[in-house]
Amino acid sequence: MTYSSARSHLRAGLADELYRALQGRFTVPPLRRRGLNLDVEDAYAISLALLAHRLKAGERVIGKKIGVTSAAVQDMLGVHQPDFGFLTDRMQVPDGSEVRIADRLIQPRAEAEIALILRSGLQGPGVSPAAVLAATESIAPCFEIVDSRIQDWDIGIVDTVADNASCGVFVLGGARVDPRPLDLAALQVRVWKNGQPLSQGLGSAVQGSPLASVAWLANTLGRYGVTLDAGDVILSGSLVPLEPARPGDRFRLVLEGVGEAAIAFS
């Protein structure tokens, strides 16, 4: 077996392992600690193979996400560069819905985000924040519930990229607002957990602005031939620290001047 074919076989095997963990709701040891010399190129190939399993099972890509963008989240996870992944239709749950953790998730954490909904596509390299704004139809308040298939959230960049950027489920609030009159960097989000104030943050937490964050995503994915497409939902990164979600927890956010979103867990 050549080095190239051996590497492909290794990547496919790790994608199979992560897909089984996703379906069975269990965790696996960190990939980066297995002495396999994995890099981000390997991780992205694993992520694409993992996505292929999901598409074969009938899921449909409806967007992309960037994560680990803010200093608070990077420090919390010990990952000091952004990750990126795919959103499918089965990841989206209705605003205000209740998610049964035992049915869908393993070790979920909630984060508040600004979601962008694209009117036209973007393909890197060379995508600027201004191009992102021009391509955006509207923004929406969003909860992303991240969930790692890696034991104890012991992740590095290779682990989280391979694991589809630690995606779990996400909720879009009902509001759809034209971003052009707004300063997205100055937008404030406030989060409540079980009726008590939890956290707050600004749009500037994600690489200075959600527009810069999405430009980074378009340019990074462009290196792999992946585009951001018209109609895509793009999650631009958490504005607040991640918060564990357990049965009985209820979360609500208000994105100033835009709207709100809510999700509960059982």
Side-chain angles (χ1 to χ4, degrees):
M1 182 181 293
T2 66
Y3 175 83
S4 177
S5 61
R7 207 68 186 168
S8 296
H9 183 74
L10 171 65
R11 292 166 167 177
L14 292 171
D16 291 346
E17 181 181 353
L18 287 170
Y19 185 67
R20 290 194 303 270
L22 173 69
Q23 294 299 102
R25 297 182 304 281
F26 61 83
T27 60
V28 301
L31 276 57
R32 74 188 188 286
R33 299 192 187 279
R34 302 188 191 186
L36 302 173
N37 297 316
L38 299 172
D39 59 19
V40 173
E41 299 292 323
D42 292 312
Y44 188 67
I46 294 165
S47 172
L48 284 174
L50 173 61
L51 176 65
H53 282 294
R54 300 184 76 145
L55 298 180
K56 186 176 180 181
E59 297 185 48
R60 178 173 54 88
V61 173
I62 60 171
K64 286 88 181 181
K65 68 153 284 186
I66 180 174
V68 201
T69 50
S70 71
V73 174
Q74 290 182 353
D75 290 343
M76 178 178 288
L77 296 178
V79 178
H80 296 287
Q81 66 187 94
D83 63 11
F84 44 91
F86 298 90
L87 305 176
T88 77
D89 55 337
R90 291 188 193 170
M91 294 180 192
Q92 186 170 5
V93 297
D95 185 25
S97 61
E98 184 173 278
V99 175
R100 180 172 161 79
I101 292 175
D103 289 345
R104 302 198 62 169
L105 302 165
I106 306 168
Q107 43 187 351
R109 297 180 177 184
E111 54 185 34
E113 304 197 18
I114 298 171
L116 284 70
I117 297 146
L118 300 185
R119 75 163 93 238
S120 57
L122 294 164
Q123 182 172 10
V127 173
S128 67
V132 173
L133 181 61
T136 300
E137 174 73 32
S138 60
I139 61 171
C142 174
F143 271 120
E144 183 186 359
I145 310 304
V146 292
D147 191 33
S148 180
R149 272 58 64 178
I150 306 299
Q151 286 176 356
D152 302 321
W153 275 97
D154 179 11
I155 61 172
I157 190 64
V158 163
D159 300 294
T160 185
V161 170
D163 190 28
N164 194 33
S166 305
C167 283
V169 299
F170 71 97
V171 170
L172 297 182
R176 300 290 183 272
V177 172
D178 183 351
R180 270 151 281 277
L182 304 175
D183 179 355
L184 298 192
L187 285 186
Q188 182 181 61
V189 68
R190 290 175 290 141
V191 183
W192 289 261
K193 181 180 182 181
N194 301 326
Q196 299 299 312
L198 175 66
S199 58
Q200 60 185 35
L202 297 172
S204 58
V206 289
Q207 299 193 342
S209 164
L211 300 176
S213 175
V214 175
W216 180 93
L217 179 64
N219 292 326
T220 299
L221 290 178
R223 295 203 299 266
Y224 302 98
V226 176
T227 58
L228 308 186
D229 301 320
D232 270 358
V233 176
I234 309 296
L235 306 191
S236 61
S238 184
L239 311 185
V240 298
L242 310 186
E243 179 68 16
R246 300 181 177 89
D249 286 340
R250 309 185 73 84
F251 291 85
R252 173 175 170 262
L253 70 79
V254 173
L255 184 60
E256 181 181 24
V258 178
E260 59 184 78
I263 187 171
F265 299 88
S266 62

